[in-house]
Amino acid sequence: MADARPPLNRLEIVRSLRYSNWEAVFSTAHVTLTGGAFQTGFALLVGANNLWMGVLSSFPTFAGLVQVIASYAVERRGERKWFTAWLATASRAVWLPILLVPFLLPVAARLPAFVVLLLASSVLLSAAVPAATSWLADLVPPDHRGRFFGRRNMLAGITTMVVSLPAAWYLDLAGKGGRSGQALGFAVLFGLSVVAGLVSFLCFARQAEPPMRAAGTAAGGVSLRDALTVPFADRGFRNLAVFGGVFALAQFFAAPFYTVYALKVLRLDYVWLQVLGAVASLSGLLAMPMWGYLSDRYGNKPLMAISVAGIALLPLPWVFTRADHPTAALVILTLNNLAGGVFWGGAGLTQFNLLVAGTPSERKSIYIAAMSAVSGLAGGLAPILGGIVVYGLRGIDVPIGSWHLSNYHVVFVINAALRVVTLLFLRGVEGAGATSTRDVLQQLSSVKVGTIVHMRRLQHGQNEQSRRQAVQALRRVSAALAVDELIVALDDPSLHVREEAAQALGEIGDRRAAPALIRMLADRASGVVDEAADALGRLHDARAVEPLARVLAEYDAPDRIAAARALGRLGAPAAVPALLDALNRAERAASPDEMEAAMQALGRIGSPEAASALHARLASPLRTVRLAAARALGDIASSASAEPLLALLAGEADEAVIAHAAVALGQIGVVEAAGPLLATLARVSSPVARKQVLLAAGALAGVAEGFYPMLAQESFARDQAVSRILREAAARAARPRPPASGNATQAASRVLEEYIAGDYTAATAHMVALAGPAERVPGALGAVLAWATGRAGAGGVRAEEFLLALYAVRAAGEGRLLG
């Protein structure tokens, strides 16, 4: 039944989370002293073989089956705190009689007694898990789970390292006294673990419990039938449970045998085992804040996939370790544990977060219990199956060169294969808001260490300069990983930081920033309206059209100009009406800058609807307006604009406007414009403008593909290219042709000599003569040839004009000279 207490306030939550972290420290100390290599060593001490090792390792996971009943009890009670505290403490207190087993019982009774007591401890602890998980899940704010559990796991990792190494050293020292000394060493460790369990109880007592939500029957409870069936009626949970079961099978299949192999085959002592464990803990510790941040940033599912893929590789290096090469074995295992700490840390965090996020709050303990039951069943069977394989293959010894394949190696390879199979079942798991695994890998592959450093500087910078420099650095590297931090920086007290953050978000181009930038756009006092507008234009997010149109209609001139340019970058046809209205208002207000911005935006959108409005601006007395209109019409490329542009070209005196009109006509592709375009060269003296006119004519003639790169080259490289073209043409000429040279090869050589000598007029005259009458060539290409003939007759042909004639003759294909 649900609690009637009011929700916890923020101070109570913060204080409780602090005690929760301390509880994690002492519970981890207990687990470290009673689990892993220490539990394996004690089991071997009391007589366990490989088959029994598999059975003992199955207890903690098999015990998960009791969680269904435990969750039912929790839902009926409507209370989790003391249920968790007393069960967990009872589980840890069982280690008091366990430590006495070697001293009070005969040899034959020691293993059975340990089996019974370990099973009892596992069941008690497992029964507390649904309540504890539900309690903690309700306590931690959803948007803070990744970071909180990342920090919590980091503290657990520190505790493991701090506790395990001295304990291993002491146990190795005690083991020198024989079996009795070893038994005493285990007794001391297990006694300390019970003390840690009692301190954990005190931490539980200091934590507040959020009220539970009502669930189940009309009476306010939950039926046992619901506890057994409701979670599995949820398709999303079923997929998650299947994945969890397969992952547990792959996780625990060979779990106990790595330690057994290290102790019995590699003959490593407890200190080395704990050093290796500390290496894994340290790498996991360092990686945990990263996993926490990444899970909040990208979602848990893709990170789980990455973690599982890494975990799948971890069993394979064990296959290549040998007792007769201890140094190599330690190097291999050290590197393997470094990677293992990272990947297991990510898997533990993200699997827990997937479970918490995928279960409803009102029945969370039931769902968690169901997941534990599935994992317990699969994970409990797994080490037993692994033990059967190890025990059944105990005599295998296959020599492969100087290396021998053993039963342990076979189990390790099977374990790797099972973990790979797990990835197939992850595909069906729901991951709300998660980025695809491929996208995550692509983004992470470009992340540098410096990016993480700058993100932390932005999060924790103590002064304006530090935070501004951090944003500038993130902007320079376009760090998509830092989008969340940059969004937060939009509210920074410093105007400079806000400006830099908005600009950085625009350059990164992540659409998740759009709502925050739109919010800044609406706040005229933010001081970053123009930067936010520019950033929204770069995001290409249609949600920004209406807010930008509002700025265009209501804000001051600088902001209106920024909004118009942003709408142009967006390229949304829906923005055309607002831009046309803005163009008319700007014209009435005699604001050429605003008119230019509106016309440029209309051109970038490319809507033919705007062409007629731009035609009228071609007659503007303002040079900048005519320039902007001509350029926009070229971008729109509507055939209806050809006549107005040709009319502009005929009477225009400004070289820049002529060049812009030429470019526009080239973009539109009106072949009739080639002649008028080339005629304007008589009024153009600017080298750059002349190149633009020639290029436009070349585009209309269909020779721009070869002509443009030639026109763009520096003179020496261009001369070499022309010489190559003409020499190749001369070599290909196969028969005599008129005119006067009498031989095409000689004619081509003559054109080349004149070109090299810088006599572009003579070279052009001889070349176009070889092509035959221009009248025989239709369309724009014929117009270019006619113009080239006239220019050669008038004299003073320039190098770039010769180039256009060269490509026109080549394209005309008359004869074989240049074809």
Side-chain angles (χ1 to χ4, degrees):
M1 183 174 291
D3 244 318
R5 294 175 300 165
L8 301 180
N9 60 45
R10 187 169 182 82
L11 182 61
E12 289 174 313
I13 292 174
V14 171
R15 183 184 299 118
S16 296
L17 293 179
R18 187 182 306 120
Y19 280 111
S20 176
N21 282 336
W22 279 111
E23 190 281 326
V25 167
F26 287 101
S27 63
T28 300
H30 171 85
V31 170
T32 302
L33 293 171
T34 60
F38 298 140
Q39 185 180 125
T40 299
F42 187 78
L44 293 173
L45 178 69
V46 297
N49 58 21
N50 280 329
L51 187 58
W52 271 111
M53 291 304 306
V55 172
L56 291 172
S57 297
S58 73
F59 285 174
T61 44
F62 258 143
L65 296 172
V66 79
Q67 292 184 16
V68 176
I69 306 300
S71 67
Y72 170 73
V74 170
E75 294 290 340
R76 297 286 296 179
R77 287 166 54 90
E79 185 274 332
R80 297 165 291 189
K81 175 177 177 177
W82 296 111
F83 188 90
T84 299
W86 285 113
L87 283 176
T89 304
S91 165
R92 290 156 186 165
V94 171
W95 285 87
L96 275 175
I98 287 177
L99 70 86
L100 297 173
V101 164
F103 304 101
L104 301 181
L105 296 179
V107 172
R110 291 174 184 174
L111 179 59
F114 176 56
V115 168
V116 171
L117 291 170
L118 181 62
L119 179 60
S121 177
S122 299
V123 168
L124 289 169
L125 186 61
S126 187
V129 169
T133 307
S134 172
W135 175 14
L136 194 55
D138 285 348
L139 190 62
V140 182
D143 60 350
H144 196 61
R145 283 175 183 155
R147 290 174 174 84
F148 171 77
F149 288 113
R151 187 180 305 113
R152 179 182 170 91
N153 291 350
M154 180 179 68
L155 291 172
I158 293 174
T159 303
T160 299
M161 288 190 298
V162 170
V163 170
S164 62
L165 289 175
W169 172 82
Y170 171 73
L171 191 58
D172 282 333
L173 187 65
K176 294 179 180 179
R179 295 181 65 85
S180 59
Q182 197 173 26
L184 180 61
F186 281 119
V188 171
L189 297 188
F190 295 164
L192 291 174
S193 76
V194 174
V195 174
L198 293 175
V199 178
S200 174
F201 175 83
L202 297 177
C203 294
F204 274 131
R206 301 299 299 271
Q207 295 178 57
E209 180 186 0
M212 289 182 65
R213 298 187 184 183
T217 66
V222 60
S223 67
L224 181 58
R225 179 181 177 183
D226 283 348
L228 295 172
T229 62
V230 165
F232 297 100
D234 183 335
R235 180 183 176 186
F237 177 80
R238 286 201 307 272
N239 291 338
L240 182 61
V242 170
F243 165 74
V246 176
F247 186 56
L249 179 68
Q251 179 178 355
F252 294 107
F253 176 77
F257 304 109
Y258 294 105
T259 302
V260 173
Y261 178 79
L263 288 170
K264 295 179 66 175
V265 178
L266 299 182
R267 296 189 289 277
L268 298 180
D269 56 29
Y270 287 101
V271 168
W272 268 116
L273 289 177
Q274 295 309 318
V275 166
L276 293 172
V279 167
S281 297
L282 180 61
S283 63
L285 167 70
L286 296 176
M288 197 54 65
M290 175 195 71
W291 287 118
Y293 171 80
L294 293 177
S295 67
D296 289 338
R297 168 69 172 82
Y298 294 115
N300 294 292
K301 183 177 176 179
L303 299 179
M304 186 70 191
I306 294 170
S307 299
V308 172
I311 287 169
L313 300 175
L314 297 177
L316 299 179
W318 284 84
V319 176
F320 301 101
T321 57
R322 295 166 52 179
D324 55 344
H325 290 78
T327 302
L330 287 173
V331 171
I332 291 172
L333 295 182
T334 299
L335 295 175
N336 199 46
N337 279 29
L338 277 171
V342 174
F343 290 121
W344 278 115
L349 176 66
T350 52
Q351 186 179 23
F352 181 83
N353 287 347
L354 283 170
L355 176 60
V356 170
T359 56
S361 297
E362 63 274 11
R363 284 175 171 169
K364 194 171 291 294
S365 62
I366 292 178
Y367 277 73
I368 292 169
M371 175 61 77
S372 297
V374 172
S375 299
L377 184 60
L381 288 172
I384 296 177
L385 294 174
I388 293 172
V389 174
V390 171
Y391 189 77
L393 298 176
R394 59 188 180 277
I396 189 173
D397 185 10
V398 180
I400 304 176
S402 61
W403 175 75
H404 289 249
L405 178 71
S406 72
N407 54 342
Y408 291 104
H409 297 147
V410 174
V411 169
F412 298 158
V413 172
I414 294 173
N415 195 196
L418 288 173
R419 293 176 182 182
V420 171
V421 171
T422 303
L423 286 169
L424 301 177
F425 293 89
L426 181 60
R427 298 173 63 181
V429 175
E430 297 177 2
T435 310
S436 72
T437 304
R438 177 179 297 179
D439 288 343
V440 173
L441 289 172
Q442 286 177 344
Q443 292 192 33
L444 293 180
S445 65
S446 63
V447 173
K448 300 178 181 178
V449 175
T451 300
I452 305 298
V453 172
H454 297 313
M455 287 167 57
R456 293 187 64 82
R457 285 179 61 198
L458 178 56
Q459 289 174 322
H460 306 294
Q462 299 300 309
N463 55 66
E464 177 184 358
Q465 182 180 5
S466 175
R467 292 172 63 81
R468 185 180 182 185
Q469 289 174 345
V471 176
Q472 289 172 337
L474 293 171
R475 177 185 174 189
R476 284 194 298 272
V477 298
S478 293
L481 191 65
V483 167
D484 290 334
E485 284 72 15
L486 291 168
I487 288 174
V488 172
L490 289 174
D491 292 313
D492 197 272
S494 165
L495 172 62
H496 298 303
V497 173
R498 295 197 302 273
E499 288 174 337
E500 295 282 355
Q503 292 168 359
L505 288 169
E507 293 179 14
I508 291 171
D510 192 319
R511 292 188 180 184
R512 292 184 307 112
L517 290 166
I518 290 172
R519 176 173 54 82
M520 301 308 294
L521 202 67
D523 185 357
R524 299 180 69 168
S526 67
V528 294
V529 170
D530 52 348
E531 288 85 358
D534 179 74
L536 285 166
R538 295 173 185 273
L539 295 186
H540 300 288
D541 193 316
R543 291 175 292 180
V545 172
E546 185 177 343
L548 286 168
R550 192 176 305 118
V551 173
L552 200 60
E554 300 174 3
Y555 285 28
D556 297 330
D559 294 336
R560 292 198 297 266
I561 291 172
R565 290 173 177 164
L567 287 169
R569 286 198 182 94
L570 274 172
V576 170
L579 288 165
L580 290 173
D581 289 343
L583 177 58
N584 293 330
R585 285 193 302 269
E587 189 171 42
R588 290 193 297 270
S591 177
D593 290 341
E594 291 184 67
M595 291 181 68
E596 181 182 355
M599 288 188 288
Q600 182 184 34
L602 290 167
R604 295 186 74 162
I605 293 172
S607 174
E609 177 187 349
S612 59
L614 296 171
H615 295 162
R617 272 70 186 189
L618 290 174
S620 171
L622 298 175
R623 170 180 177 271
T624 56
V625 173
R626 298 198 305 277
L627 283 169
R631 181 165 186 174
L633 287 169
D635 291 335
I636 294 173
S638 169
S639 59
S641 300
E643 186 176 343
L645 285 166
L646 284 170
L648 171 66
L649 204 62
E652 183 60 55
D654 188 279
E655 294 186 19
V657 177
I658 290 174
H660 277 61
V663 171
L665 287 164
Q667 289 174 295
I668 295 171
V670 181
V671 295
E672 296 81 6
L677 273 177
L678 292 168
T680 63
L681 287 172
R683 290 178 275 143
V684 177
S685 60
S686 165
V688 174
R690 290 179 66 85
K691 285 182 180 180
Q692 285 189 333
V693 173
L694 289 166
L695 184 59
L700 295 175
V703 299
E705 183 177 349
F707 179 47
Y708 170 72
M710 186 73 77
L711 200 61
Q713 286 182 345
E714 53 89 18
S715 59
F716 182 74
R718 184 177 61 204
D719 289 349
Q720 286 184 316
V722 171
S723 298
R724 184 173 61 253
I725 292 171
L726 291 171
R727 285 197 176 100
E728 289 173 356
R732 287 197 306 270
R735 60 185 178 87
R737 279 185 57 89
S741 64
N743 184 282
T745 302
Q746 294 176 356
S749 299
R750 182 175 179 180
V751 172
L752 177 57
E753 291 170 3
E754 291 167 344
Y755 172 79
I756 292 174
D759 190 352
Y760 305 123
T761 299
T764 302
H766 288 116
M767 186 169 56
V768 296
L770 286 167
E775 295 80 7
R776 295 169 57 184
V777 181
L781 194 57
V784 172
L785 289 173
W787 164 82
T789 301
R791 284 291 293 127
V797 176
R798 303 186 185 189
E800 63 270 13
E801 294 174 331
F802 168 81
L803 293 174
L804 179 59
L806 170 67
Y807 277 90
V809 172
R810 192 182 195 191
E814 288 289 331
R816 301 185 175 217
L817 173 63
L818 301 174

